[in-house]
Amino acid sequence: MTHEIAVIPGDGIGQEVTPAAVDVLEAIAVDFEFVEGEAGDAVKAETGEALPRETREIAADADATLFGAAGETAADVILPLRQVVDSFANVRPAVSYPGLDAVQPDTDLVFIRENTEGVYKGIESEISDGVTTCTRVITEDASEKIADFGFDYARNNDYDDVTIAHKANVMRETDGLFLDTAEAVAEERSVPRTDERASGDTASEGIAYDTALMDALAMHLVMHPEDYGVVICPNLAGDMLSDLAAGLVGGLGLLPSANVGEDNALFEPVHGSAPDIAGEGVANPAAMILSAAMLLDHLGYEDEGDRVRTAVEATLEDGPKTPDLGGSASTEAVTEAVVDRL
């Protein structure tokens, strides 16, 4: 069976790391057809549209999409692309790898971020000169859906601990609804965390869960990330906390992500377009290649996805390494090393 993959490099280092991911996918014994689309700053400068209709159609018709990065037009590109694939969940793993100088080498986290609402709904207005507003939207349906997805993810990926992040002590209506809804799901799917549960003594009882104020959680993640597994978050909180976790494991160049819908999905590195190094050929392709591994998982090729992750991990440990990880290798050299290990 041939799978059609939309490839949208975008801006900056997206033009360098996206071809690296394609090279890796081509080295796997899976029948892919790649269809490239344009998006981002350069396209807008040329055509007036950051995300042309043709690119939207390519992503909508594909079995999955690889997206690199967008620059100043990011909000005009990635948010609509996530809507095109009907994505409701953003999955962001943050894992420490051997051989890297990680701040917290025991980190193994996955952020399950609600992907359709919150302040990213884009409802902003200027109500008078010098006064602007942003409307935050939280619904019971979306909150229940992301909580269900988060607990399913934990169970399917052998995580025994789930944390629900919120700020319901301040945003009482919106995060209050998110928290109440997610907890109702949690109470059906798991057991509340206790000291015994946290130590694994009651593992047979089900997945443990707790809730945490997102600001306090940020502190605890920095100090003791090993205490956490899957973290279910509202949209903005998931964005912020996952970037924080990137700092624990070695930087944004290591974090992949998946935007998952019912029938389609889009895969992208968490990092942006990095204009300061764009065009120099030294961008770390790991996050993009790991995003391609998540694409393989999504299409049912879990063994192939594991092979890619193993090859990336070996390259991160033994080299070559790009400058962000203390090495001097090029994007191309790292990609070749991963392909050779495959």
Side-chain angles (χ1 to χ4, degrees):
M1 177 181 178
T2 300
H3 297 281
E4 184 173 295
I5 308 299
V7 178
I8 307 172
D11 297 315
I13 63 171
Q15 293 284 334
E16 301 164 52
V17 298
T18 308
V22 172
D23 286 348
V24 169
L25 288 177
E26 287 180 334
I28 296 290
V30 176
D31 191 6
F32 288 130
E33 178 184 351
F34 299 100
V35 182
E36 187 162 329
E38 296 183 327
D41 298 353
V43 179
K44 184 174 182 180
E46 181 180 344
T47 68
E49 288 185 289
L51 184 63
R53 177 179 57 82
E54 293 83 356
T55 303
R56 292 173 184 258
E57 291 175 352
I58 288 171
D61 293 341
D63 295 304
T65 295
L66 276 177
F67 174 70
E72 295 298 322
T73 57
D76 301 317
V77 175
I78 189 56
L79 296 183
L81 272 177
R82 290 171 180 166
Q83 293 171 357
V84 165
V85 302
D86 198 24
S87 163
F88 66 89
N90 183 219
V91 182
R92 293 186 170 189
V95 180
S96 293
Y97 297 103
L100 300 185
D101 187 19
V103 174
Q104 290 285 12
D106 294 327
T107 303
D108 184 355
L109 301 166
V110 181
F111 295 88
I112 305 296
R113 169 190 172 197
E114 203 290 317
N115 217 24
T116 67
E117 48 187 36
V119 294
Y120 285 16
K121 197 75 173 175
I123 306 173
E124 296 186 278
S125 62
E126 182 176 5
I127 59 174
S128 65
D129 187 26
V131 180
T132 59
T133 64
C134 179
T135 300
R136 188 169 192 262
V137 178
I138 300 291
T139 66
E140 183 176 359
D141 286 348
S143 301
E144 182 177 18
K145 194 170 187 177
I146 196 65
D148 269 326
F149 182 90
F151 278 94
D152 284 342
Y153 186 96
R155 190 173 304 280
N156 293 336
N157 292 275
D158 297 324
Y159 286 93
D160 60 5
D161 197 276
V162 172
T163 300
I164 301 166
H166 68 95
K167 192 63 178 169
N169 61 331
V170 173
M171 295 179 285
R172 296 174 181 174
E173 294 297 326
T174 52
D175 261 24
L177 177 61
F178 179 85
L179 176 60
D180 289 346
T181 305
E183 273 211 283
V185 171
E187 288 168 3
E188 294 179 357
R189 305 288 300 275
S190 61
V191 295
R193 181 190 287 146
T194 65
D195 291 342
E196 292 80 13
R197 181 67 181 95
S199 67
D201 293 342
T202 59
S204 62
E205 296 179 18
I207 297 172
Y209 83 93
D210 67 353
T211 67
L213 293 168
M214 60 182 70
D215 47 349
L217 177 60
M219 179 192 71
H220 289 296
L221 286 173
V222 170
M223 297 175 68
H224 299 291
E226 70 278 4
D227 290 344
Y228 300 90
V230 171
V231 184
I232 299 172
C233 309
N235 203 332
L236 177 61
D239 199 0
M240 299 298 104
L241 291 172
S242 59
D243 275 20
L244 177 147
L248 304 180
V249 302
L252 287 170
L254 299 171
L255 262 64
S257 76
N259 300 280
V260 180
E262 298 291 351
D263 302 308
N264 204 338
L266 179 148
F267 301 85
E268 57 173 326
V270 173
H271 65 67
S273 61
D276 56 324
I277 61 169
E280 296 181 11
V282 295
N284 186 350
M288 189 78 240
I289 295 172
L290 290 169
S291 297
M294 296 179 78
L295 180 151
L296 288 165
D297 294 339
H298 174 74
L299 293 177
Y301 298 101
E302 291 89 352
D303 290 345
E304 289 81 358
D306 286 341
R307 285 180 57 208
V308 171
R309 276 184 287 271
T310 298
V312 171
E313 290 169 12
T315 303
L316 290 172
E317 182 172 10
D318 299 329
K321 300 177 183 180
T322 45
D324 61 310
L325 300 179
S328 59
S330 66
T331 307
E332 183 178 1
V334 173
T335 305
E336 290 176 352
V338 173
V339 170
D340 286 346
R341 287 181 167 94
L342 287 172

